Amino acid sequence: MNLAPVIKTSFKQQMLKAREVAIIATVNRLLAEKGFEAMTVDEVAAQVGIAKASLYKHFSSKEELAAAAMVGVMRRAQSYIRALPPNAKPLDNLRAVVRWTLEVKLAGDMPSLPSQNSTLRATLIANKDYMDGLMDVSDRLGAWIEAAQASGDLNPDLPAIAILYIFFARACDPVLEFLRMGGLYTDEQIVSMVLGTCFEGLNAR
Amino acid sequence: MNLAPVIKTSFKQQMLKAREVAIIATVNRLLAEKGFEAMTVDEVAAQVGIAKASLYKHFSSKEELAAAAMVGVMRRAQSYIRALPPNAKPLDNLRAVVRWTLEVKLAGDMPSLPSQNSTLRATLIANKDYMDGLMDVSDRLGAWIEAAQASGDLNPDLPAIAILYIFFARACDPVLEFLRMGGLYTDEQIVSMVLGTCFEGLNAR
DNA sequence: GTCTATAATCAGATAGAC
DNA sequence: GTCTATCTGATTATAGAC
């Protein structure tokens, strides 16, 4: 039996897959650094080390490129959340998720989307992987939020959805960069401060 | 005596000034709506109702245009802060400033800058009016923050600069839009929730 | 200063050979 | 699928008449 053809095909596919991973990683970093509007497709191609036309064989538009990066980070969030202990205190798991978000952002791995870009929003909303991930994350966090409110850990007067949004907003909190720019604090200190004020507020206790 | 020339000049200058005000107002709104990158000079000219070339007689670049809007909002912030009662509790004044920021943003009047745009940053840093305003605001808020920490109202374990940054970050907090999009809450409720969680945190008390 | 018309450039996307 | 070369349209900025 001659297995060469199938092996060759598989190898080729692996290479293609690896290239796509490299592309998405580059897009992810550029989205984190400068955002969707400022990121150019030329730049992505140059940093990946391939021709721009080749990019368009993998992804049909700049929006699809960004969406792929967003799906990636959503998947990572899902993995992280699923790996958390199901029997832990809901509040502890929520704090862990927020901490994870802040750490990813501080590491420069959190792609940032423009607040209002209709074409990109449309692409994301049409992306089943992204929307499924978003729903899954929202449902899991939502359940913990309600449990934490019921057990008297989180403020029960706030709508759960508001708390959820406040968590999501940590993914684009500029305070992290502001503090890092000052150069006075370690990343761990910065994360601790922002995490602490998120849950405990600014007031003295 | 013939006063016609001087009157005519003054009137002309008033018209020019009014036009500049209209331009800046338009830029302010567009910056709030879509941000610097997505805003186009054509759009500004069209909405003001003048030719694009005329815009460039008033402002030498798109960056200068944006900077003018930023100077405007900074001046308004200064006015608001200066009008606050100097003998009030520092914490009360700080809450008032944060509330004002949230209300301006919710009203669609808070211009939003891209996190990292080198050319725009350079223009802003080179703009004396902007930097002076920023320093003034920072100094005044900084003094209140330290006073509130000393009096046991704000958490004294946090660096004052971190608290200041957290206040500044309310000017681009996406939670406001998120909550408004849901359509379940009034603007006043939204402001109250975000203001409350900023100072009191998410935890139950 | 305002206008129309146009330059100059840049960025997203594609054609077509290999 | 990858490349070079190119198209197309949008966008910043300016020339020059009035």
Side-chain angles (χ1 to χ4, degrees):
Chain A
M1 285 203 310
N2 181 5
L3 289 176
V6 51
I7 289 172
K8 194 174 176 188
T9 301
S10 167
F11 178 73
K12 214 178 192 172
Q13 282 178 348
Q14 274 187 16
M15 293 301 289
L16 283 179
K17 183 64 184 169
R19 176 152 288 186
E20 284 202 359
V21 169
I23 293 171
I24 294 175
T26 298
V27 170
N28 197 77
R29 188 164 28 80
L30 285 172
L31 282 181
E33 264 178 42
K34 38 210 304 188
F36 179 75
E37 319 264 1
M39 174 186 85
T40 71
V41 179
D42 286 271
E43 205 171 16
V44 175
Q47 294 203 7
V48 175
I50 64 177
K52 182 164 53 166
S54 304
L55 265 191
Y56 279 95
K57 298 287 182 179
H58 292 273
F59 302 92
S60 62
S61 71
K62 186 185 175 185
E63 280 78 13
E64 293 290 345
L65 221 45
M70 294 306 295
V71 169
V73 73
M74 195 62 78
R75 275 199 222 284
R76 289 193 289 281
Q78 283 180 278
S79 298
Y80 183 83
I81 290 171
R82 272 201 275 257
L84 287 171
N87 295 323
K89 248 176 62 181
L91 180 63
D92 289 338
N93 279 349
L94 290 172
R95 287 185 75 107
V97 174
V98 175
R99 171 178 284 275
W100 176 84
T101 304
L102 296 174
E103 284 170 348
V104 171
K105 172 145 184 63
L106 211 42
D109 289 330
M110 184 61 76
S112 79
L113 299 183
S115 34
Q116 309 261 46
N117 180 313
S118 51
T119 81
L120 183 50
R121 282 185 85 85
T123 301
L124 278 177
I125 288 175
N127 187 310
K128 183 161 165 39
D129 286 339
Y130 178 77
M131 289 305 289
D132 285 352
L134 182 61
M135 293 302 158
D136 183 43
V137 167
S138 297
D139 285 347
R140 288 169 189 269
L141 295 187
W144 282 335
I145 290 170
E146 287 172 356
Q149 288 182 302
S151 69
D153 285 326
L154 281 184
N155 183 354
D157 296 335
L158 288 169
I161 190 78
I163 298 179
L164 181 66
Y165 289 160
I166 289 173
F167 289 158
F168 282 153
R170 285 327 100 209
C172 57
D173 193 336
V175 173
L176 294 167
E177 276 104 308
F178 288 165
L179 282 172
R180 167 178 275 173
M181 250 189 295
L184 288 174
Y185 306 100
T186 66
D187 284 4
E188 169 52 28
Q189 286 177 313
I190 294 173
V191 168
S192 287
M193 284 191 279
V194 175
L195 182 64
T197 58
C198 178
F199 286 91
E200 273 97 45
L202 296 171
N203 288 347
R205 293 254 149 184
Chain B
M1 286 204 309
N2 181 7
L3 289 176
V6 50
I7 288 172
K8 194 174 179 188
T9 301
S10 169
F11 178 72
K12 214 178 195 175
Q13 282 179 348
Q14 274 188 16
M15 292 302 289
L16 283 179
K17 182 62 184 170
R19 177 151 288 187
E20 284 202 357
V21 168
I23 293 171
I24 293 176
T26 298
V27 170
N28 196 77
R29 188 163 28 80
L30 285 171
L31 282 181
E33 263 178 43
K34 38 210 305 186
F36 180 75
E37 320 264 2
M39 175 187 84
T40 72
V41 179
D42 287 271
E43 207 171 15
V44 176
Q47 294 203 8
V48 176
I50 63 176
K52 183 165 49 168
S54 303
L55 265 191
Y56 279 94
K57 297 287 181 180
H58 292 274
F59 302 93
S60 62
S61 71
K62 186 184 175 184
E63 280 78 13
E64 294 290 344
L65 221 44
M70 295 306 295
V71 169
V73 74
M74 194 63 78
R75 276 199 221 284
R76 289 193 288 281
Q78 284 179 279
S79 298
Y80 182 82
I81 291 171
R82 273 201 275 256
L84 287 171
N87 295 323
K89 247 177 61 181
L91 181 64
D92 289 337
N93 279 348
L94 290 172
R95 287 185 76 107
V97 174
V98 174
R99 171 178 284 276
W100 175 85
T101 305
L102 296 175
E103 285 171 347
V104 171
K105 172 143 183 64
L106 210 43
D109 289 329
M110 183 61 76
S112 79
L113 299 182
S115 35
Q116 308 261 46
N117 181 312
S118 51
T119 80
L120 183 50
R121 282 185 82 86
T123 301
L124 278 177
I125 289 175
N127 187 310
K128 183 162 164 40
D129 286 338
Y130 178 77
M131 290 305 288
D132 285 353
L134 183 60
M135 294 302 159
D136 182 43
V137 168
S138 298
D139 285 347
R140 288 170 189 270
L141 296 188
W144 282 335
I145 289 170
E146 287 172 356
Q149 289 182 303
S151 68
D153 286 325
L154 282 184
N155 182 353
D157 296 335
L158 287 169
I161 188 80
I163 297 178
L164 181 67
Y165 289 161
I166 289 173
F167 289 158
F168 281 153
R170 285 327 99 209
C172 56
D173 193 337
V175 172
L176 295 167
E177 276 103 309
F178 288 165
L179 282 172
R180 166 177 277 173
M181 251 188 296
L184 289 173
Y185 306 101
T186 66
D187 284 4
E188 170 52 27
Q189 287 176 311
I190 293 173
V191 168
S192 287
M193 284 192 278
V194 174
L195 182 64
T197 57
C198 179
F199 286 91
E200 273 96 44
L202 297 170
N203 288 345
R205 293 254 148 185

